[in-house]
């Protein structure tokens, strides 16, 4: 009876140690912020590219736990492009959820002294991931809907 208790205690101790190790690596502060504090996912990037960039930029030293969470939460099916704020000592779980739900950092965009649509399109393309021709199409469409020819920016 004592040998049986001893084996049970050893097995439970091993399970507890392994669980604690996994819990620390998933929920503990193991993420390192990049120099500017932001991680950019460009349109068209897939899951493997995001994983590779997380590792090469030094945000995650080991992507094993990120991939483990992905097995159950399926981030690889829909990668959302954007600008994400990465704080130092963030957990892998928090990073994963932030990328999965697409919780992006707001972009401050102020328009000063734009005289033409081309100037506005150029300014938009500088802040957002779009080319100036596409921005100009959108601004001309907006101008056709609303009279912004006399608007002061």
């Amino acid at each position: 009876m004592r040998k049986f208790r001893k084996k049970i205690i050893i097995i439970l101790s091993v399970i507890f140690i392994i669980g604690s190790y996994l819990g620390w690596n998933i929920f503990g502060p193991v993420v390192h912020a990049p120099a500017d504090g932001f991680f950019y996912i460009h349109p068209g990037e897939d899951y493997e590219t995001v994983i590779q960039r997380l590792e090469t930029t030094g945000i995650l030293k080991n992507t094993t736990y990120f991939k483990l969470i992905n097995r159950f939460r399926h981030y690889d099916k829909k990668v959302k492009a954007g600008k994400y704020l990465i704080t130092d000592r963030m957990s892998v779980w928090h990073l994963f959820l932030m990328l999965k739900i697409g919780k992006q950092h707001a972009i401050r965009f102020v328009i000063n002294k734009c005289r033409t649509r081309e100037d506005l399109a150029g300014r938009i393309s500088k802040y957002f991931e779009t080319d100036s021709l596409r921005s100009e199409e959108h601004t001309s469409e907006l101008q056709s809907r609303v009279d912004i020819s006399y608007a002061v920016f």
Side-chain angles (χ1 to χ4, degrees):
M1 188 70 163
R2 287 186 177 227
K3 288 183 181 183
F4 181 71
R5 275 190 193 167
K6 192 173 185 178
K7 286 181 183 179
I8 293 286
I9 290 173
I10 291 173
I11 290 172
L12 290 176
S13 298
V14 169
I15 290 172
F16 177 75
I17 290 170
I18 291 172
S20 298
Y21 180 75
L22 286 174
W24 177 257
N25 282 313
I26 292 174
F27 299 108
V30 294
V31 174
H32 303 286
D36 64 347
F38 295 105
F39 180 69
Y40 297 92
I41 298 177
H42 305 287
E45 285 188 346
D46 62 341
Y47 171 73
E48 292 299 325
T49 307
V50 171
I51 289 290
Q52 182 182 13
R53 286 189 49 236
L54 282 171
E55 197 165 24
T56 56
T57 56
I59 294 172
L60 289 177
K61 290 184 180 178
N62 187 357
T63 59
T64 305
Y65 302 105
F66 193 90
K67 292 176 184 176
L68 179 70
I69 297 170
N70 181 54
R71 284 188 189 171
F72 301 107
R73 300 296 302 252
H74 308 292
Y75 171 64
D76 56 347
K77 295 191 172 147
K78 186 162 182 172
V79 176
K80 298 179 182 175
K83 177 181 179 181
Y84 296 94
L85 177 65
I86 308 293
T87 58
D88 207 22
R89 303 185 53 81
M90 180 187 283
S91 69
V92 175
W93 179 259
H94 188 255
L95 174 67
F96 182 86
L97 289 181
M98 182 178 61
L99 294 177
K100 182 171 172 48
I101 65 173
K103 184 180 177 188
Q104 301 174 19
H105 184 71
I107 298 174
R108 293 189 56 160
F109 179 65
V110 179
I111 303 172
N112 292 329
K113 299 179 185 176
C114 289
R115 291 181 41 137
T116 63
R117 284 189 304 196
E118 291 81 16
D119 291 342
L120 180 61
R123 180 135 335 164
I124 288 172
S125 65
K126 187 170 84 173
Y127 283 94
F128 301 102
E129 289 191 3
T130 183
D131 58 346
S132 59
L133 292 176
R134 189 166 179 201
S135 299
E136 188 174 346
E137 290 171 7
H138 290 299
T139 55
S140 63
E141 180 184 336
L142 179 64
Q143 187 176 15
S144 67
R145 290 185 187 173
V146 179
D147 186 24
I148 61 169
S149 59
Y150 297 107
V152 177
F153 294 108

